Amino acid sequence: MNVDDTSGVGDATAAREATTTTVTDSGLFVRQSTGLIRGVTPFSAYVLNMAPAHPTQLLAAGFFFGFALFPGGNYLLALLLTVPLVLAFAYAFGLLTRLMPRTGGDYILAGRVLHPAWGLVSSIAYFIASLISMAFFAELVVNLGIGPGLSIIGLLGGWHTLVSWGATVEANNWWKFILGMVFVLFAAGMQVTTWRWRVRLQNGLFWGATAGVLLAGIIALFTSHGAFVHNFNSFSAPYTHLSNTYAATIATAHKAGVVTNAGFSFSNSVGIVGVLATATIYPFTTSWNSGELQQAQSRKTANIMALGGVTPLVAVAILAAIFLHTFGTAFMTAANGGGFPAQISAPATYFFLIAASAHSTVLGIILVLSYMLYWPLIMYIAFIQPSRALFAWSFDGLLPEWVTKVSPRTAAPTVAIGLTIVLSALTLVWGLHAKLFLTLVVYGVLFAMVSQISVGIAALVVPWRRRALYEAGSVHGKILGVQAVCVAGVAAILSGIFVSWIYLHYPQFGVGSVWKALGYVAGGIVIALAYYTIAVAIRSRQGRDVRLALSEIPPE
Amino acid sequence: MKRAFRRAKAAGETTSIFFASDFHGADPCWRKFLGAGRHYGVDTLIMGGDLAGKALVPIARQPDGSFSARFLGEQHDVRGQEQLDRLVAAVRFNGMYPWVAEPDQIEKFRADAAGRDELFEQLILDDLRRWLALADERMPQYGIGVYVVGGNDDPWSCDNVLRTAEHVVACDDSVVRIGDHEMISCSYANTTPWHSPRELDEQALYDHLHGLAEQVEDPRRAIFMFHVPPFDSGLDTAAKLDEDLNVVYVGGQAQQVPVGSSAVRQIIEEYQPLLSLHGHIHESGGRAMIGRTLSINAGSEYSTGMLHGAVIRLGRDEVVSHQLVFG
């Protein structure tokens, strides 16, 4: 018995027996034979899937920003509406990955089930989305991390030089580029280091970032609203010269047209789903790691994806309730809607407000550092798809062969990683000059939807397009008499369409012309198909038919 | 996809090969292997060992005429020949051997290790005969040569069955000619923690390979088809195991180490053949250059019915092109 087959046939302990064949717990007779598989433990897989929606980032940036963008939107309802979207994508990717373990990502899932050309379309779409995400994170790490972090520590400690540095790096594109690229390079470094160090770093960053948001949540839980208002006003007075900065923040926002006490709006609750979707609907990172995933063929694969998607939503719901109770909903809406006093040169993030309320420089430093640990983690995860996609395209002959070169020490695809660094840098330069980076991010999500809808279609049709694989596989579960994988596929398709509709429907996301946006996405698809066609023609002249790379061999 | 991709020979191409390995009893892999010749437009098929499956699924014939089995974590209860055939096909698809028997017979074999060994061998050989019969029936009409060796996981009795085939060349431990190229093959692996049927320590493996390589007239045009990949080539990375066969975890993760053969690497470095072909480490498929030698591990994903392989087009003195494929 071998470790390779623990997913399929039973338990590896059978191999320890002295006889040639043994009987597993599930009743199989197995022979001793060789074969091993790399291992991502369930916890590490969970971290990979959960990190894009980690509450640290969601609560520091997008979540409360959504309150100002969509007044009257109910965040609990929005979180609830996001759950089926998360589950749809988790199970579409997860069940297909169970059917095709030891493969990776949408390129293979869509390519094998639909068509190799469409696998490339899907992969390029997600590649674009990932590069935009990477550039977005590289800018946010300065705008929400380093800049405000320096300001917060400077404000709390009375070190005005730090406050000045914070303002400088936030205002200067060169600083943003340099500091953002430092984090991109760190993320790249995590890819080229040994597997052991990569996972240590990944999990260490996760725990570090999680500890900070939990600590802030616990402090907020034991801080009454009245105490917070009093402490915040006391902290702010030297800068704003106001006795009630708290009330002034709300008043300023009101004057700017921000509604802080709007009645319930279902429509705006849906709008908040769009804000949440920029981070929460990607719980399938391990799909690109399934080659290394232990028991990728087991139920755990899809369930870990679902768990990675849903737990951050639950955590955000609980922590948001605590923060809103302590800080006040009107205040958070106003502070994130432009009402926060400019004299306090830091955004109204939960960790700043907690540290300011506690008047504790040490706590501020701890919370800022913890928050900063999130960025290399999310950038490391955003880095996975592009570098692996470049490697896979090259492997299949769609890019020059030298792109597949790997480090002899760590087996990391060094050339693909280097190319991803260069492309991330170019995307960051582009993003820094874009009028509204959020709109660019929304375009990124629209491209990601091409990929996620493609996987949904693949899940829907796999029982027929890959009948033998489906019938012999282990995803035969049914929901109301319909194959579970088909249900997940339909749900993913509808979810992708729904998310796309939100971005195109609500002007707050800044997409502008719907047709222009759709044109960009359609253009991307056409370019990907054209690229595939050209690559086929060029390789054909070199004696290689790249159509063969993923085409199924008709069995005799 | 229909049988397509008919193609003219590339410039300089004299011989074309499809190489795959480690089918481990998976029916679709063997059938696709036989179909690969026409699909990829090659004239030679080479299978690099490990034909035998690893697991046997007992299917209990119940008193009420139904059949029940448990595999891939699911309980299967079927009734009638059609449903049974479907279950049997699903088991074979995953590289396991279906064994339909009475419940008390299954219970008896649970407790009888020697009986299980015999049963396993019988099923392995029966399936191999079935595979070879298919090859002998279909392949002559296409004019595509088929070369097969065992691997370290295959019982030696497989070789006797392989030698009975008419169209399939059992080429282990011998020199055969493929176009302008001599090919030597070796089914042995270096020692593994499982003590599989065909293992040698590195020195004995080197001596064995050296003896084979010395029989080749023109090593620089030769193909060395050794089941185990060369050590530390990137084609041999797998999880480290302790003496109890537990995966060694460091920092919560499986530690990755090269597990290939230093003897194979040394032979390749000394003789520098045109091409070396390997299998054995399923998750480490890929290609590497060892001096002037192109080394390929086809990899394997047998339990999904997906055939990993490599299409290689050779000139007299060069590898014209090579492509890793997943069919």
Side-chain angles (χ1 to χ4, degrees):
Chain A
M1 178 52 204
N2 65 52
V3 181
D4 178 28
D5 283 314
T6 53
S7 55
V9 293
D11 58 314
T13 54
R16 298 175 200 148
E17 304 297 327
T19 55
T20 309
T21 59
T22 49
V23 183
T24 69
D25 293 341
S26 61
L28 296 181
F29 296 1
V30 294
R31 300 167 61 226
Q32 283 195 195
S33 47
T34 49
L36 303 168
I37 191 164
R38 296 176 187 182
V40 175
T41 59
F43 174 72
S44 296
Y46 169 77
V47 170
L48 284 166
N49 291 327
M50 182 269 196
H54 196 291
T56 295
Q57 166 53 18
L58 210 52
L59 289 167
F63 187 72
F64 295 113
F65 182 55
F67 282 39
L69 276 182
F70 298 99
N74 183 298
Y75 77 93
L76 284 174
L77 177 60
L79 285 165
L80 204 61
L81 289 172
T82 309
V83 169
L85 308 180
V86 167
L87 292 178
F89 293 127
Y91 280 104
F93 273 84
L95 293 177
L96 281 180
T97 302
R98 271 183 73 187
L99 271 178
M100 290 176 260
R102 293 157 229 168
T103 62
D106 57 314
Y107 177 57
I108 299 292
L109 302 180
R112 281 189 185 177
V113 177
L114 301 176
H115 188 278
W118 199 258
L120 182 68
V121 167
S122 172
S123 185
I124 285 181
Y126 208 86
F127 183 83
I128 292 168
S130 296
L131 287 181
I132 291 174
S133 297
M134 182 79 78
F136 184 56
F137 297 144
E139 186 180 13
L140 282 190
V141 78
V142 180
N143 280 356
L144 279 176
I146 297 171
L150 289 169
S151 299
I152 289 166
I153 295 169
L155 286 169
L156 290 166
W159 302 314
H160 296 291
T161 309
L162 286 185
V163 178
S164 170
W165 285 356
T168 301
V169 297
E170 279 188 72
N172 186 303
N173 273 355
W174 274 109
W175 273 115
K176 285 184 190 175
F177 179 77
I178 291 167
L179 293 172
M181 284 309 295
V182 167
F183 277 76
V184 170
L185 290 172
F186 185 85
M190 283 181 71
Q191 307 279 341
V192 296
T193 189
T194 59
W195 186 252
R196 169 181 157 184
W197 273 105
R198 192 185 313 178
V199 175
R200 276 184 178 173
L201 277 168
Q202 172 199 301
N203 294 352
L205 292 169
F206 169 81
W207 282 120
T210 304
V213 72
L214 288 178
L215 178 62
I218 290 167
I219 294 172
L221 186 63
F222 293 102
T223 305
S224 70
H225 177 64
F228 170 75
V229 173
H230 176 267
N231 292 343
F232 177 72
N233 283 334
S234 163
F235 169 83
S236 308
Y239 306 101
T240 61
H241 306 294
L242 296 170
S243 60
N244 192 345
T245 307
Y246 185 90
T249 299
I250 297 171
T252 305
H254 283 168
K255 276 185 201 160
V258 176
V259 182
T260 59
N261 54 355
F264 169 71
S265 163
F266 179 79
S267 172
N268 280 355
S269 302
V270 174
I272 294 177
V273 173
V275 176
L276 294 173
T278 57
T280 57
I281 56 171
Y282 316 100
F284 42 76
T285 308
T286 47
S287 176
W288 285 281
N289 286 85
S290 59
E292 295 112 299
L293 196 63
Q294 278 188 349
Q295 303 189 332
Q297 211 170 5
S298 76
R299 284 198 178 89
K300 283 181 190 165
T301 301
N303 292 342
I304 288 173
M305 289 184 189
L307 194 69
V310 172
T311 48
L313 298 177
V314 175
V316 165
I318 295 168
L319 288 165
I322 294 170
F323 290 144
L324 289 172
H325 176 261
T326 304
F327 304 148
T329 304
F331 174 75
M332 288 306 282
T333 307
N336 284 279
F340 208 57
Q343 299 93 322
I344 304 173
S345 47
T349 55
Y350 66 86
F351 51 91
F352 170 59
L353 295 175
I354 288 291
S357 169
H359 281 253
S360 168
T361 309
V362 173
L363 180 62
I365 292 171
I366 290 171
L367 292 180
V368 165
L369 289 180
S370 165
Y371 176 68
M372 289 303 299
L373 292 179
Y374 174 73
W375 294 102
L377 175 64
I378 188 59
M379 290 170 83
Y380 154 72
I381 286 169
F383 212 99
I384 290 174
Q385 193 272 352
S387 55
R388 290 187 177 223
L390 285 169
F391 183 85
W393 300 340
S394 172
F395 209 80
D396 291 345
L398 295 168
L399 283 176
E401 194 176 304
W402 48 264
V403 179
T404 60
K405 279 189 183 164
V406 297
S407 157
R409 194 170 69 85
T410 65
T414 43
V415 175
I417 288 169
L419 279 174
T420 306
I421 293 171
V422 172
L423 292 169
S424 298
L426 293 173
T427 315
L428 177 57
V429 170
W430 181 40
L432 289 173
H433 289 89
K435 282 184 187 165
L436 188 56
F437 212 145
L438 176 65
T439 306
L440 204 57
V441 172
V442 167
Y443 273 108
V445 178
L446 289 174
F447 273 103
M449 288 307 107
V450 172
S451 170
Q452 289 170 234
I453 290 172
S454 297
V455 171
I457 295 169
L460 172 62
V461 303
V462 72
W464 297 278
R465 290 278 297 172
R466 288 279 183 169
R467 181 185 291 272
L469 174 68
Y470 176 76
E471 288 184 352
S474 59
V475 292
H476 295 128
K478 292 193 173 177
I479 299 171
L480 300 174
V482 181
Q483 295 100 319
V485 68
C486 297
V487 173
V490 170
I493 295 165
L494 294 176
S495 297
I497 293 169
F498 177 58
V499 170
S500 304
W501 172 82
I502 291 174
Y503 292 131
L504 298 175
H505 176 72
Y506 289 90
Q508 288 94 324
F509 292 109
V511 168
S513 164
V514 170
W515 291 111
K516 195 170 116 187
L518 292 175
Y520 280 137
V521 175
I525 292 171
V526 170
I527 288 169
L529 289 172
Y531 181 84
Y532 181 83
T533 309
I534 292 166
V536 167
I538 291 173
R539 288 296 187 190
S540 174
R541 274 191 238 138
Q542 297 168 347
R544 286 179 67 174
D545 192 333
V546 297
R547 293 171 298 174
L548 302 178
L550 295 177
S551 67
E552 186 168 14
I553 305 167
E556 274 295 331
Chain B
M1 192 98 41
K2 300 292 175 199
R3 296 178 206 286
F5 310 123
R6 298 194 186 286
R7 50 176 289 285
K9 286 197 170 185
E13 175 187 330
T14 54
T15 305
S16 53
I17 293 166
F18 174 75
F19 171 70
S21 187
D22 296 77
F23 299 170
H24 287 290
D27 229 32
C29 287
W30 177 256
R31 288 172 176 273
K32 285 180 175 182
F33 175 66
L34 297 181
R38 287 181 298 148
H39 186 67
Y40 296 121
V42 299
D43 42 45
T44 305
L45 302 176
I46 300 174
M47 197 282 172
D50 278 358
L51 295 146
K54 301 175 177 183
L56 185 159
V57 180
I59 301 173
R61 187 185 290 110
Q62 302 296 351
D64 65 357
S66 68
F67 301 89
S68 61
R70 185 165 181 81
F71 89 111
L72 293 183
E74 290 183 343
Q75 179 66 32
H76 296 259
D77 296 302
V78 301
R79 188 172 287 280
Q81 193 59 43
E82 192 184 331
Q83 286 188 4
L84 176 64
D85 289 346
R86 223 178 289 156
L87 176 59
V88 163
V91 171
R92 285 207 166 109
F93 187 98
N94 283 278
M96 303 178 202
Y97 298 110
W99 176 52
V100 181
E102 304 300 327
D104 57 348
Q105 202 179 359
I106 293 170
E107 277 310 309
K108 188 185 127 205
F109 274 93
R110 275 188 211 284
D112 178 6
R116 277 199 312 271
D117 289 354
E118 273 180 38
L119 176 66
F120 238 119
E121 187 152 350
Q122 177 200 321
L123 290 175
I124 289 169
L125 299 182
D126 285 351
D127 254 29
L128 187 53
R129 286 188 194 96
R130 194 168 53 80
W131 283 9
L132 294 175
L134 184 71
D136 283 344
E137 177 196 329
R138 306 279 174 88
M139 299 312 287
Q141 61 186 310
Y142 308 134
I144 297 170
V146 184
Y147 297 82
V148 178
V149 293
N152 67 301
D153 280 331
D154 295 326
W156 285 104
S157 51
C158 286
D159 290 40
N160 296 331
V161 176
L162 281 173
R163 282 190 282 270
T164 64
E166 290 173 11
H167 191 77
V168 173
V169 179
C171 55
D172 187 23
D173 207 16
S174 63
V175 184
V176 294
R177 183 161 283 278
I178 295 176
D180 296 324
H181 312 275
E182 295 160 278
M183 181 173 82
I184 56 172
S185 310
C186 177
S187 59
Y188 280 110
N190 49 346
T191 52
T192 76
W194 291 274
H195 310 296
S196 54
R198 308 184 194 207
E199 295 183 9
L200 291 174
D201 65 42
E202 291 288 3
Q203 185 56 52
L205 184 55
Y206 176 82
D207 293 342
H208 184 83
L209 295 176
H210 185 263
L212 262 175
E214 282 298 302
Q215 297 174 42
V216 175
E217 291 172 7
D218 188 353
R220 292 178 68 81
R221 279 190 195 151
I223 301 166
F224 286 5
M225 198 248 289
F226 304 148
H227 182 65
V228 61
F231 178 75
D232 203 14
S233 57
L235 307 177
D236 65 327
T237 307
K240 187 177 179 180
L241 300 181
D242 66 16
E243 56 199 18
D244 291 327
L245 297 175
N246 295 307
V247 175
V248 175
Y249 285 88
V250 180
Q253 298 301 313
Q255 191 177 357
Q256 302 299 308
V257 289
V259 296
S261 162
S262 53
V264 166
R265 181 164 192 127
Q266 196 178 337
I267 287 291
I268 292 171
E269 286 173 347
E270 285 174 7
Y271 288 88
Q272 289 285 279
L274 190 60
L275 176 68
S276 74
L277 302 172
H278 314 276
H280 193 48
I281 308 298
H282 303 174
E283 66 272 38
S284 209
R287 59 196 159 212
M289 294 302 296
I290 298 177
R292 72 178 284 273
T293 304
L294 170 67
S295 295
I296 290 176
N297 177 352
S300 176
E301 197 192 328
Y302 66 91
S303 64
T304 64
M306 186 61 62
L307 182 60
H308 287 218
V311 178
I312 306 144
R313 305 195 186 278
L314 300 177
R316 265 177 67 81
D317 300 302
E318 62 175 342
V319 177
V320 175
S321 72
H322 65 280
Q323 183 175 11
L324 292 160
V325 291
F326 311 92

